Amino acid sequence: MDEIRNIYCVGRNYVEHAHELNNQVPTSPLLFSKPTHSLVKANGEEITLPGDRGAVHYEAELVIRIGQPYKKGMKVDELVDRMAIGIDFTLRDVQSDLKKKGHPWVLAKGFSNSAVLSEFIDFPGVEQCEKSNFSLLLNGEQVQLGTIQHLIFDLQTLIDYTALHLGLGEGDVIFTGTPQGVGEVSDGDELSLLWREGKLGDCTIKLT
């Protein structure tokens, strides 16, 4: 796996996804982070997730990797060197409880193996990405399909906002948001991550 320093994530960055969970559409990027302990490769092997903390939901996303230190005014195509398709696994019941209490989401988002990444490929540029789809297959059936063309906050906005508030440097990754179609995983489920028509990664779920 390419070297990764910080894992930044963006919540509610597709209108349909915000609506499917009955959330308001944000007026600025909704950022959160995951610890590096959450990282795991989707390399065809089994991924262990907690099965005793309520529902575990998949959220497939396009993930960008920053290739050099950020400087104000730099464009996406200058900064981003690699990309992957990822899954932001979420303990949905835990998250709902945390939201009711007004607490941060880290316990619902930062557990071990919650940040799944396919292999990284060269970033083809914003223009090509906007013309391309990524998708998630659950047991061979497509459950999510997205394109960054439909992001509420585009890649440039996400990069500038993240850099301003949290800092951004070489090796940082950003999970850019998930389209509609999120759902619960079960023990033994097989997940495949696709970019365009090609598979970049897959895994089998083990709930414990």
Side-chain angles (χ1 to χ4, degrees), residues 1-21:
M1 185 179 292
D2 293 43
E3 181 186 359
I4 294 173
R5 295 178 62 199
N6 295 298
I7 307 165
Y8 299 126
C9 305
V10 185
R12 305 176 195 170
N13 204 21
Y14 289 80
V15 171
E16 293 84 359
H17 170 60
H19 288 165
E20 74 179 342
L21 295 182

Side-chain angles (χ1 to χ4, degrees), residues 1-155:
M1 185 179 292
D2 293 43
E3 181 186 359
I4 294 173
R5 295 178 62 199
N6 295 298
I7 307 165
Y8 299 126
C9 305
V10 185
R12 305 176 195 170
N13 204 21
Y14 289 80
V15 171
E16 293 84 359
H17 170 60
H19 288 165
E20 74 179 342
L21 295 182
N22 297 314
N23 290 319
Q24 292 183 338
V25 176
T27 56
S28 60
L30 176 57
L31 298 180
F32 61 95
S33 63
K34 291 175 178 268
T36 53
H37 294 294
S38 67
L39 284 170
V40 63
K41 289 183 181 179
N43 60 3
E45 297 184 2
E46 195 172 75
I47 291 178
T48 301
L49 299 172
D52 58 353
R53 302 179 215 171
V56 183
H57 278 202
Y58 56 78
E59 299 186 8
E61 318 199 7
L62 185 140
V63 182
I64 55 175
R65 181 186 183 277
I66 305 302
Q68 60 178 302
Y70 174 89
K71 294 180 182 178
K72 189 175 181 179
M74 295 182 76
K75 300 301 182 185
V76 175
D77 289 352
E78 297 177 78
L79 278 165
V80 177
D81 64 349
R82 308 277 279 167
M83 60 158 282
I85 308 302
I87 303 174
D88 164 22
F89 277 121
T90 303
L91 297 174
R92 191 68 71 201
D93 296 331
V94 174
Q95 184 189 33
S96 296
D97 186 55
L98 292 169
K99 286 162 62 178
K100 289 177 184 176
K101 295 176 180 177
H103 291 175
W105 296 355
V106 64
L107 294 179
K109 293 282 194 177
F111 54 94
S112 294
N113 297 338
S114 65
V116 178
L117 287 172
S118 73
E119 66 174 289
F120 278 88
I121 60 174
D122 290 338
F123 183 66
V126 173
E127 184 176 352
Q128 286 299 314
C129 279
E130 289 179 341
K131 297 176 181 177
S132 305
N133 294 324
F134 65 92
S135 59
L136 176 69
L137 305 184
L138 174 64
N139 300 321
E141 298 291 329
Q142 181 179 287
V143 289
Q144 287 190 277
L145 177 69
T147 170
I148 64 166
Q149 185 179 7
H150 297 144
L151 291 175
I152 298 172
F153 304 105
D154 64 16
L155 297 187

